Amino acid sequence: MKKQTIIQDRLCIHVYSFELMDSRMYMIREDDEIFVVDPCIDNELLRDAQGAKHVTVFLTHEHYDHISGVNWLKDHFSCSVYAGKVCAGRVESEKDNLSSRFPFLFLLDKEKYDYVRSHFSLPYTCRVETSFCGKGQLLWKGHLIELYEVGGHSPGSSLIVFDKKFLFGGDNILDNGKELWGTDGDMKQYRESVLPMLRKFNQQMIVLPGHGEKNLLGYFLEIMK
């Protein structure tokens, strides 16, 4: 996927893809500050962020394909990284962030498997500067950011609501309507806790998923029944 740009309600959201798995990284720029969700390494973001003085990073969960660019961003910018308390602990563990297992996702594709083994520095860990427990909120350049620890897809999964208009759902909401499950997901928690919370949100919010294309929350909930 080449970089996409979403323009909605005077907001410009750049979308980048971690090509091996189409994991999505999102970036919003306001003057000389950058807002990033789930960073991966992408030189096009460096060009788009040229001249930025600070990057505020949010993580939807702890899995390697959604945190792989944290240290890279810190090498290039002044950064503050935010995540739920559970996620903050798990990104520091190569076992919990699944980075030690990452190459084995491609065992059936020798070309990709060899590429990962030769091009990625694994296992991988990173650090979160600011964590929240349960719920949190803050203002970024006048925008309201609401944070919810929810679990489901992984123990450290969170939902990030931007100005009550955009929902960064991580891997709890995907463009095919199916939650993506790994070895550490909790289906019972997802059905009994995450889905009821999503149903209480404004169904007209635009979901920006961890993999795949955006759509309205109501659309996702309808096909997830």
Side-chain angles (χ1 to χ4, degrees), residues 64 116 119-124:
Y64 173 69
V116 170
H119 286 77
F120 289 75
S121 180
L122 298 170
Y124 173 95

Side-chain angles (χ1 to χ4, degrees), residues 67-220:
I67 66 172
S68 62
V70 170
N71 296 334
W72 173 77
L73 277 177
K74 289 182 176 181
D75 287 341
H76 289 88
F77 301 98
S78 165
C79 285
S80 301
V81 183
Y82 292 79
K85 183 177 180 180
V86 175
C87 178
R90 291 173 69 87
V91 297
E92 297 187 18
S93 164
E94 62 191 55
K95 177 182 177 182
D96 291 337
N97 65 35
L98 304 187
S99 62
S100 59
R101 306 181 195 177
F102 186 68
F104 301 106
L105 295 175
F106 307 100
L107 278 176
L108 298 180
D109 187 328
K110 186 178 185 304
E111 184 177 349
K112 284 187 177 181
Y113 177 79
D114 291 342
Y115 179 84
V116 170
R117 293 296 298 268
S118 61
H119 286 77
F120 289 75
S121 180
L122 298 170
Y124 173 95
T125 62
C126 60
R127 189 170 68 87
V128 169
E129 281 74 38
T130 304
S131 63
F132 64 94
C133 185
K135 296 181 181 180
Q137 69 175 40
L138 71 155
L139 288 175
W140 177 79
K141 301 294 288 184
H143 299 283
L144 176 64
I145 315 299
E146 298 169 279
L147 311 164
Y148 302 88
E149 277 193 303
V150 294
H153 169 72
S154 73
S157 288
S158 296
L159 303 173
I160 302 167
V161 178
F162 190 100
D163 279 345
K164 297 187 181 297
K165 297 177 181 179
F166 301 93
L167 171 59
F168 297 94
D171 287 358
N172 270 318
I173 311 174
L174 300 180
D175 72 336
N176 61 2
K178 304 292 185 182
E179 61 280 358
L180 180 66
W181 292 107
T183 58
D184 56 356
D186 187 332
M187 177 68 80
K188 184 173 186 290
Q189 182 182 43
Y190 180 82
R191 296 297 183 190
E192 295 181 359
S193 179
V194 180
L195 278 179
M197 176 179 287
L198 290 172
R199 292 186 180 112
K200 292 179 182 179
F201 287 155
N202 180 356
Q203 304 299 287
Q204 296 302 306
M205 275 200 299
I206 295 174
V207 174
L208 301 166
H211 300 258
E213 303 301 324
K214 70 176 178 70
N215 214 316
L216 298 180
L217 176 58
Y219 165 82
F220 285 109

Side-chain angles (χ1 to χ4, degrees), residues 4-16:
Q4 299 178 0
T5 300
I6 300 168
I7 300 176
Q8 188 84 26
D9 295 332
R10 300 182 181 178
L11 196 69
C12 181
I13 304 174
H14 299 290
V15 188
Y16 311 81

